[in-house]
Every structure is written in C-alpha cells, then in structure tokens.
Amino acid sequence: MKTYRLSAAGRRNVLVLIVAALLIWVFAFWSFASTLRISYNPVRFWLSLQESLAQGLSVGQVVPALLMLVLIVATPLLIWALLAEWAAAYTPTPDGLRFETLGVRVVCPWHCIRSVHPVDTDAEEPFDELLLNTDPGTQIGHPVTRFLHRQAWGVDRLPIYPDLEERDELLAAIRGALETASRAERAPARA
C-alpha cells in the first residue's frame, strides 16, 4: 500500500503560508491593543480595558478592533488547517481510503465515498475533494481535533490537496476503487 504526501514544493508553499498567517496574527494582536488603548500586561489588562471603555469608543476604534478580533480568532484555525495539509497522508487500502494528519486518522470505506469533486476548475492548481455519505469526524476521538477537522472541511468532505506527490496516481487509484466498489454493489442486485 502506497502512501501519498505533499511534495517538497508543496511543503515550501505551506510553510510560506504559515509564516504569513503568523505575521497577520501578530499584527492583528498588536493592532487590537493599540486601537483600544489596552495593555496586555496581566496586571494592567482589566484596568486598561475598563479605562478605555469608560472614555468611550468611537466607530473608528470599534470597527478596526472587531476586524482585528476576527483575525485573532480565525488565524489560528487557518494555521491548524495549513499544518493539517503539511502532515496529510493518504493511503488507498482494500477497505477504503485512509487519511492521516495531526491527530486525525480516518478510514473512508469505498462505498461511503460518493465521488471525487473538483473544487475550482479554473484554478492554476487542481484542487479536489471527496464527497462522502458519512461523517469521517465520528472516527476522531479527541473533541477538539474533531471540531478543527469539521471546521476546516465540513462533515461530508475530505480534501485532496493540490501539491501531493503523484497526485494523479492517487486520484486514479481512488476512481478505480470507486468503480470497483460500484460494480460490486450492482452485481448482487442482478443475481
């Protein structure tokens, strides 16, 4: 059984995106404090927040602060999704497709995969996802990891990342296994 992982170029791309996301997060964290005129010092935090609220906040402070708060919350979710892409491994087995990454280890049986769906046909790099009949998240034991996986991809999808080594070979193996599973389901019905 062959395992498919990101190529070296794919890992470099993901690393650049992680660094960019970290820079955005640091900027948002810094901008949030400076916009609201608060201190992150644990001793002064609540006092500085109360002082800032007592002085009143203008629209010019509230709108950027809310935007920065969204970035502060969303950027770690993005970083987790990028790290999950970095560590992704796909292994076609006779029972189904095994997908492993950052605490996620799921097996999608062939009969539970509806199709391979291209996400954006106009993109420079092809990006596909598997449409599933079941939620693979139920196989993830840790609730936080399950939440992060579902947050990144939903309950009935599994990504096939664009920068996988020998990606076309993996997609051909998946499509071949789906065709074989489909024929096997139809064969008993004819008998």
Side-chain angles (χ1 to χ4, degrees), residues 118-121 123-128 160-163 167-168 171:
V119 175
D120 187 2
T121 55
E124 286 181 26
E125 295 180 348
F127 188 86
D128 296 292
I160 304 292
Y161 296 110
D163 289 327
R167 183 176 184 280
D168 292 335
L171 288 172

Side-chain angles (χ1 to χ4, degrees), residues 24-57:
I24 289 170
W25 188 81
V26 168
F27 171 76
F29 203 70
W30 172 78
S31 293
F32 183 76
S34 66
T35 301
L36 294 180
R37 297 182 310 270
I38 60 175
S39 170
Y40 285 133
N41 181 334
V43 176
R44 292 252 324 126
F45 178 75
W46 289 111
L47 183 60
S48 66
L49 182 60
Q50 289 171 346
E51 289 172 358
S52 182
L53 292 175
Q55 291 174 1
L57 298 174

Side-chain angles (χ1 to χ4, degrees), residues 49-181:
L49 182 60
Q50 289 171 346
E51 289 172 358
S52 182
L53 292 175
Q55 291 174 1
L57 298 174
S58 69
V59 173
Q61 289 174 292
V62 172
V63 172
L66 288 175
L67 178 63
M68 294 305 125
L69 184 61
V70 167
L71 287 173
I72 289 169
V73 172
T75 303
L77 297 174
L78 170 65
I79 291 170
W80 185 88
L82 290 169
L83 289 171
E85 181 177 353
W86 174 283
Y90 302 85
T91 307
T93 68
D95 299 328
L97 181 67
R98 187 172 60 221
F99 175 73
E100 298 177 63
T101 189
L102 300 184
V104 174
R105 185 179 185 147
V106 297
V107 175
C108 301
W110 295 120
H111 67 275
C112 291
I113 300 173
R114 284 184 292 178
S115 66
V116 177
H117 175 71
V119 175
D120 187 2
T121 55
D122 295 333
E124 286 181 26
E125 295 180 348
F127 188 86
D128 296 292
E129 60 188 5
L130 298 179
L131 300 180
L132 308 171
N133 294 326
T134 59
D135 177 10
T138 58
Q139 299 175 43
I140 303 169
H142 197 280
V144 173
T145 306
R146 185 180 325 115
F147 167 77
L148 290 170
H149 178 74
R150 287 177 174 163
Q151 182 69 27
W153 298 109
V155 296
D156 64 347
R157 298 175 191 283
L158 194 65
I160 304 292
Y161 296 110
D163 289 327
L164 290 173
E165 280 188 300
E166 300 173 0
R167 183 176 184 280
D168 292 335
E169 181 181 306
L170 171 63
L171 288 172
I174 292 170
R175 287 186 174 107
L178 291 177
E179 184 64 33
T180 302

